[in-house]
Amino acid sequence: MKQLRIRTLAGLFLVAGVLSWAGARFWDSIGTLPRVPLAAPIVLAVIAVILLATALSIRARLRAQRERRPGAKGVDPLMAARALVFGQASALVAALVAGMYGGTGAFLLEHLDVPARRDQAIYAGFSVLTGIAVIAAALFLERVCKLPEDDDEDHGGAAPAA
């Protein structure tokens, strides 16, 4: 499984942000603007907490297994793989969602004199922050689940000729 790349996540964030900013300008010219739901930062925060709790649990179990503590539960490889896939998918979606709310929030910064738009800008800002928290938790989970490198592995793919 490939590791997440910060460049990929940042690119998704920027593209979604620019498209969202342009879309918000378009919708504003029509006379309406899509709302930023209050639930957006809450849902992203819950996902970040779940990812962080999963990473801390797996890390504690791996540490107990490495230290050969009596009664230590091992980590099921399939469960770790599922957690890793959930973390990577969450990070990709969070980058898109945070970019989308970031672009909308950047547009709303131009209209802070209207109380309703100021509230929407605050919700968008919190959504961006919690989206970044999801990405950070997913990267931490990925780091916890990473297998150690095998030093005696042949990196050339073929045995050397004698």
Side-chain angles (χ1 to χ4, degrees):
M1 187 175 298
K2 288 188 169 185
Q3 279 187 295
L4 286 174
R5 296 186 186 254
I6 300 293
R7 284 191 317 252
T8 303
L9 296 173
L12 285 172
F13 177 84
L14 289 174
V15 167
V18 168
L19 291 174
S20 176
W21 177 79
R25 288 184 61 84
F26 173 72
W27 268 313
D28 188 54
S29 70
I30 293 174
T32 183
L33 185 65
R35 299 186 52 86
V36 178
L38 176 61
I42 295 169
V43 170
L44 288 169
V46 168
I47 292 171
V49 167
I50 290 170
L51 287 171
L52 183 62
T54 302
L56 292 175
S57 172
I58 290 173
R59 185 177 74 166
R61 292 171 98 183
L62 287 173
R63 182 176 291 148
Q65 190 176 6
R66 254 192 326 267
E67 294 172 356
R68 301 188 192 281
R69 292 184 194 155
K73 287 184 177 181
V75 176
D76 179 28
L78 189 57
M79 190 271 308
R82 287 178 181 156
L84 184 60
V85 168
F86 173 63
Q88 287 185 345
S90 297
L92 291 169
V93 170
L96 286 171
V97 169
M100 182 184 74
Y101 288 130
T104 303
F107 171 76
L108 290 170
L109 288 176
E110 301 169 9
H111 306 285
L112 289 179
D113 53 334
V114 179
R117 291 202 174 186
R118 182 177 40 242
D119 292 344
Q120 295 295 303
I122 291 170
Y123 299 156
F126 281 132
S127 296
V128 171
L129 291 176
T130 53
I132 292 170
V134 168
I135 292 169
L139 291 174
F140 178 63
L141 176 62
E142 185 178 64
R143 183 171 170 242
V144 166
C145 290
K146 185 175 180 178
L147 294 173
E149 296 294 326
D150 191 11
D151 292 334
D152 57 356
E153 182 179 312
D154 184 23
H155 296 289

